[in-house]
Amino acid sequence: MSAPSTPAPARVLAATGGGLWRIVLALLLPAVLVTVWWFASADSTDPQVPPLATVLDKFPTVWFAGDDLGSSLFVETVGQSVSRVLIGYAIAMVIGIVLGVLIGTFRPLRDFCEPVLEFFRAIPPPILTPILMLFMGIDHALKISLIVVGALWPILLNTIEGVRGIDPVLKDTARAYGLGPVRRLFSLTLPGASPQIYTGGRQALSIALIMMVIGEMFAAFDGIGSAIAQFQATFSTASMWSAVLILGCIGSVLALIFGAVERVGLTWYRGYLRSQRGGA
Amino acid sequence: MVQKSHGADLSVRSVRKVYTGRGQAVEAIQDLSFDVNAGELVCVVGPSGAGKTTLLRILAGLLPATSGEVTLGGTVVKGPPPGMAVVLQEYGRSLFPWMTVEKNVELPLKEKGVAKAERKRLVQEALEAVSLADAGKSYPWQLSGGMQQRVAIARAVAYEPQVLLMDEPFAAVDAQTRLELEDLVRALWRRLGVTVIFVTHDIDEAVYLGERVFVLSNRPTILLEEVKIDLGAERDQIETRTHPAFGRLRNHVYELVQQAKKGLRSIEDARLTH
Ligand SMILES: Nc1ncnc2c1ncn2[C@@H]1O[C@H](COP(=O)(O)OP(=O)(O)OP(=O)(O)O)[C@@H](O)[C@H]1O
Ligand SMILES: [Mg+2]
C-alpha cells in the first residue's frame, strides 16, 4: 500500500534536501520582517518606536549587565517565566488528560459534564484573571493557576473528543482479548486519543503563554510580563521592545520543541493518514 | 511445546437478536439453538446479511442477545470469556495502528501473562505460520489488506485460545494463500484441540474445513440445517476437494444457501437434487 519503493539514497537526499529547503523557507519571513523593521524604524524620532538599532544596542546592557551570566536579568527573567509556564502547562496537561479520559470513557459522565464544558469553553481565559485574583490574591500560586485554568480547556475538550472517537472495532478487539484497565489505557485509550491530545496541547501552549504574560503584568515582580510592564511604566521603550522580542523567542522555541515531540509521537499517525488516503 | 489446551463446549439456547436504536427495529436473529462440542470445528454459512456476524459477536460476548442464552464450558457468556480469540470481519480496523505488527500480535499474550521469551517465540511462530515473518517491524497500515488480515489471524493463533471465533477471515487474501491458511487453521485446531466457529461465505471452504456446517436462513435468521461433514480428520487440498463425497456435500450446501437467499425458511420446503 504505502511501503516505500524509492531507493534509499534518493529518499535520504529528498528528505534532507526537503528539510533544508523548509528551514530556509521558515526563516525567510522573519528575516524579511526584521529587515523591514530595521529600515522603517531607522530614522524614527517617535520615543514610542525607537530605531531597531537602538533596541539591539541596548540589549546587552539591559539584559546582561554585570559579568555573571547566571544572575543576569535575562537568565532570571526568562527562567522565571519559562518555569512558570512549564509548571502550569504540565499541571493543565495532567488534569486535562485525566479528566478527559474519564469523561470520554464514561457516557453518563459525559452527558452530565458536557453543557458546563461548553459554557467554560466559550469564556476567553484572560477574563478569568481578575476573578481569580479576587479569590487567590496575587501570590505565586495565582500565576500558575491562571496558566492552568487557561490551558486546561483545549486539552480537556480535545482529549474527550479523541477518546470518544476511538474506532469501536479496536475497542471490541481490546474487550475480546480481555485487556485489563491499565493495559487498555496505555495500549488503546491514550494512543488512540493522542492525535487530538496533541492538537489540544498545541492550542494550550499558546494560551499558556498568553496567561503567563497577563498574570505577570498584573501581579508579578519578576518574569518577562512584569519586565515589559515595568519598562513601559518607566518609559524605557527600547528596553520594552527588547523584552517583547524575548517573549516572542520564548514562544517560538517552546512551539518548536512541541513540534519536535509531536513529530516523533505521531509518526504512526501521519503514516496511517497517508495510507487511508490511498497510499504515497 | 505442544500443550493441548482443551476446547470448551458451546451451547446456544433460543437466542434472538433485535437491533433497536435509531430508526426501526431490525430482527437479525429470530431463534437459534445449537450445540458445539468441545474441540469441534464448525463452519457457518448463509446469505449476506443473514446475521452471521451478529451471531459471532453474541458468541464472543461482545453483543448481548435480546433473549436466550449462550453458555461456554458450562458458564453463561455475559462478556468476552477468557481464553477466547476472535478475528473480526473488519480485520484492518481491528489492528492497533500505533503498534508494529509484532506488538499487535504480542499484546493479548502480555495480558495473558505469558513470559517475555515465550511471547517472542509465539509471536515469531505465528507470523511465520501466516508467511509474515519479515513484516514484524512494520506497521499495519504499511501492509496490504490481505497481509493485515493475516496479522489478525496470527494474533489469534499466537494466543493459543480455547475458543477461536473467525468472521470471514480469509476474505481479503489471494486464492493461493487462502488454501494455505485453511490448512493452517486445520492444523492449529488439531494441535490445540480448540473449539472453532468459522464464518464464511465460501461454501467450498466451509465444507473443506468443517466437521459440521451450519446453514443459516435469511434475516430474521433461523438454522436451516446442521450438515455433518464426514470427510475424515485428514484433509488435503487436492484429495479432499476431488473426493466424490466432497462434491456431494458441497452441492447440497450450495443448493441450500441458494434457496436460503430466495427465502427458504424450513428444510422441509427445500427442493434438493443432492
Ligand atoms: N448495529 C446494527 N443496527 C441495526 N441493524 C444491524 C446492525 N448490525 C447489523 N444489522 C442488521 O442485521 C442483519 C445481519 O447483519 P450481519 O452483519 O450479522 O450479517 P452477516 O451475515 O454477517 O452479513 P455479511 O455476510 O454481509 O457479513 C443485517 O440485515 C444488518 O443490516
Ligand atoms: Mg458479516
Side-chain angles (χ1 to χ4, degrees), chain B residues 108-259:
Chain B
L109 297 177
K110 279 190 183 165
E111 189 62 41
K112 208 178 173 186
V114 179
K116 189 163 182 198
E118 174 76 352
R119 285 205 304 265
K120 213 171 138 74
R121 189 183 64 76
L122 285 170
V123 169
Q124 200 50 41
E125 271 182 17
L127 287 177
E128 269 163 26
V130 297
S131 322
L132 281 178
D134 298 334
K137 299 275 186 282
S138 305
Y139 284 87
W141 36 266
Q142 294 176 309
L143 308 178
S144 71
M147 290 162 93
Q148 291 176 11
Q149 197 156 34
R150 282 183 278 152
V151 176
I153 294 166
R155 180 167 62 189
V157 167
Y159 194 61
E160 301 197 321
Q162 289 173 287
V163 186
L164 176 58
L165 306 176
M166 305 178 105
D167 196 352
E168 306 201 11
F170 306 154
V173 300
D174 61 280
Q176 189 58 46
T177 312
R178 189 173 186 134
L179 301 185
E180 286 166 27
L181 291 178
E182 286 169 6
D183 289 333
L184 171 70
V185 167
R186 288 278 310 179
L188 181 85
W189 166 67
R190 293 190 64 185
R191 177 160 70 85
L192 296 178
V194 48
T195 311
V196 182
I197 309 285
F198 189 103
V199 169
T200 176
H201 58 251
D202 184 326
I203 287 155
D204 288 61
E205 180 167 274
V207 173
Y208 177 74
L209 279 180
E211 295 186 289
R212 281 192 292 164
V213 173
F214 291 179
V215 185
L216 302 184
S217 76
N218 251 338
R219 184 174 71 78
T221 306
I222 53 165
L223 183 56
L224 275 180
E225 194 187 358
E226 304 177 6
V227 182
K228 182 115 191 66
I229 308 293
D230 27 40
L231 293 171
E234 295 292 341
R235 311 248 169 128
D236 178 274
Q237 289 291 358
I238 293 168
E239 268 172 38
T240 307
R241 282 177 191 267
T242 48
H243 200 280
F246 180 87
R248 259 198 317 279
L249 287 163
R250 183 205 165 276
N251 293 348
H252 176 76
V253 174
Y254 178 78
E255 281 188 324
L256 268 182
V257 172
Q258 282 305 313
Q259 291 178 44

Side-chain angles (χ1 to χ4, degrees), chain A residues 116-200:
Chain A
V116 182
L117 294 180
E118 286 305 321
F119 178 81
F120 278 108
R121 186 222 282 275
I123 299 176
I127 292 180
L128 298 170
T129 315
I131 303 175
L132 270 182
M133 273 167 82
L134 266 182
F135 286 107
M136 305 193 56
I138 53 168
D139 61 355
H140 185 64
L142 168 79
K143 280 149 269 163
I144 304 269
S145 309
L146 278 176
I147 297 170
V148 174
V149 167
L152 178 63
W153 301 106
I155 300 169
L156 177 60
L157 296 169
N158 278 286
T159 305
I160 295 174
E161 266 328 293
V163 171
R164 194 155 71 165
I166 293 173
D167 193 328
V169 178
L170 284 181
K171 292 191 210 168
D172 276 349
T173 305
R175 218 150 76 79
Y177 283 109
L179 295 196
V182 176
R183 185 152 285 125
R184 199 185 150 89
L185 177 68
F186 289 105
S187 302
L188 173 67
T189 313
L190 287 179
S194 63
Q196 280 85 348
I197 295 179
Y198 276 107
T199 304

Side-chain angles (χ1 to χ4, degrees), chain B residues 17-22 24-29 46-57 63 89 167-168 199-201 216 219 221:
Chain B
K17 180 65 194 180
V18 181
Y19 285 108
T20 51
R22 289 173 295 261
Q24 81 228 58
V26 176
E27 185 178 22
I29 295 178
S48 183
K52 303 184 292 293
T53 297
T54 305
L55 171 64
L56 200 92
R57 287 171 56 82
L63 187 72
Q89 194 168 7
D167 196 352
E168 306 201 11
V199 169
T200 176
H201 58 251
L216 302 184
R219 184 174 71 78
T221 306

Side-chain angles (χ1 to χ4, degrees), chain A residues 13-277:
Chain A
L13 203 71
T16 51
L20 262 181
W21 178 234
R22 278 176 54 194
I23 292 172
V24 170
L25 262 188
L27 291 177
L28 194 60
L29 187 57
V32 168
L33 287 178
V34 168
T35 314
V36 169
W37 184 4
W38 181 277
F39 286 108
S41 66
D43 304 320
S44 169
T45 48
D46 182 349
Q48 300 301 324
V49 192
L52 180 54
T54 316
V55 174
L56 294 182
D57 213 32
K58 282 205 155 183
F59 200 96
T61 46
V62 173
W63 294 103
F64 296 104
D67 23 53
D68 184 12
L69 183 71
S71 64
S72 66
L73 184 61
F74 179 83
V75 171
E76 219 158 81
T77 309
V78 172
Q80 280 292 350
S81 291
V82 169
S83 66
R84 221 167 249 156
V85 88
L86 288 185
I87 292 173
Y89 185 68
I91 296 176
M93 269 288 194
V94 171
I95 299 179
I97 292 175
V98 169
L99 284 183
V101 165
L102 287 175
I103 297 174
T105 306
F106 300 107
R107 184 68 200 269
L109 193 59
R110 195 157 72 225
D111 295 342
F112 179 72
C113 296
E114 208 115 76
V116 182
L117 294 180
E118 286 305 321
F119 178 81
F120 278 108
R121 186 222 282 275
I123 299 176
I127 292 180
L128 298 170
T129 315
I131 303 175
L132 270 182
M133 273 167 82
L134 266 182
F135 286 107
M136 305 193 56
I138 53 168
D139 61 355
H140 185 64
L142 168 79
K143 280 149 269 163
I144 304 269
S145 309
L146 278 176
I147 297 170
V148 174
V149 167
L152 178 63
W153 301 106
I155 300 169
L156 177 60
L157 296 169
N158 278 286
T159 305
I160 295 174
E161 266 328 293
V163 171
R164 194 155 71 165
I166 293 173
D167 193 328
V169 178
L170 284 181
K171 292 191 210 168
D172 276 349
T173 305
R175 218 150 76 79
Y177 283 109
L179 295 196
V182 176
R183 185 152 285 125
R184 199 185 150 89
L185 177 68
F186 289 105
S187 302
L188 173 67
T189 313
L190 287 179
S194 63
Q196 280 85 348
I197 295 179
Y198 276 107
T199 304
R202 182 175 282 283
Q203 294 167 8
L205 186 59
S206 46
I207 296 181
L209 279 166
I210 294 172
M211 296 308 283
M212 171 201 84
V213 176
I214 290 178
E216 287 175 349
M217 285 177 126
F218 270 92
F221 311 101
D222 50 19
I224 196 80
S226 133
I228 292 175
Q230 278 172 29
F231 287 138
Q232 193 199 22
T234 55
F235 303 104
S236 326
T237 352
S239 309
M240 186 196 80
W241 280 105
S242 65
V244 172
L245 270 179
I246 292 175
L247 176 61
C249 291
I250 294 177
S252 309
V253 169
L254 290 182
L256 274 178
I257 294 173
F258 186 93
V261 174
E262 183 180 29
R263 220 171 356 269
V264 174
L266 290 186
T267 308
W268 68 268
Y269 187 61
R270 275 174 287 123
Y272 173 75
L273 282 185
R274 240 178 331 202
S275 75
Q276 295 295 298
R277 288 193 215 103

